[in-house]
Amino acid sequence: MNGFRPRLPARSTDRRRLADTLLAVLVPVAASSLALAGLTTWVGTGNAGSPPRVTVTEGRVLLPIAGSAETAAFFRITNEGGSADRLVGVTSPDAPGGVGLARPRMRGGTAAYRAPVGSVEIRAGESLAMSPHGVDLTVTAPAGEWRAGDLVSFTLTFSRSGRVKLPAVVVRPGTVAF
């Protein structure tokens, strides 16, 4: 009360110093552990390593069947880089009705249809061969303008690699193997 503070025994002071020292050590260790866990997750999800190196080849567009404006296009996408990339969009100035990513689905076990897909991942060191049985592009073609052998221009947009422009050759259905 008159500014008098009782003196703590030496044992209590030693315990307090030990607790302060442990706290000073544990905080950086915990922060380092948290950072290591975050880096491990980053590496595990394919966001570390060398950048993706995407190449797109084998562009083919099926000639639309008479009376139908909708057809399909296929490419082989290879990622030789050290991290994944994602195909996020496709456009074509030669397809005024638009282009969309799609995948086959079944409705009620009896009816097949093409379901839109927002994006497709291409993992590091892997390829995606588009086909009628997997991912492909649904293309709305201009009525009666394409002939077998014509070239149709496409731009594929990847989340990390940017845009890749290339042509696809128009082929008759049944003349190409998948």
Side-chain angles (χ1 to χ4, degrees), residues 8 11-28:
L8 297 173
R11 187 179 249 175
S12 178
T13 304
D14 289 343
R15 284 186 186 157
R16 178 71 179 169
R17 282 188 197 146
L18 180 60
D20 289 345
T21 302
L22 285 174
L23 187 59
V25 169
L26 287 177
V27 168

Side-chain angles (χ1 to χ4, degrees), residues 1 11 20-21 43 58 121:
M1 301 207 206
R11 187 179 249 175
D20 289 345
T21 302
V43 169
E58 301 178 27
E121 181 180 47

Side-chain angles (χ1 to χ4, degrees), residues 74 102 138 149:
F74 311 94
T138 302

Side-chain angles (χ1 to χ4, degrees), residues 11-82:
R11 187 179 249 175
S12 178
T13 304
D14 289 343
R15 284 186 186 157
R16 178 71 179 169
R17 282 188 197 146
L18 180 60
D20 289 345
T21 302
L22 285 174
L23 187 59
V25 169
L26 287 177
V27 168
V29 168
S32 297
S33 297
L34 185 61
L36 182 59
L39 286 171
T40 301
T41 301
W42 184 54
V43 169
T45 59
N47 291 322
S50 64
R53 279 195 335 254
V54 172
T55 56
V56 183
T57 58
E58 301 178 27
R60 296 161 292 177
V61 180
L62 296 180
L63 186 64
I65 297 172
S68 175
E70 193 169 279
T71 188
F74 311 94
F75 293 93
R76 175 178 296 278
I77 303 170
T78 304
N79 181 357
E80 295 176 350

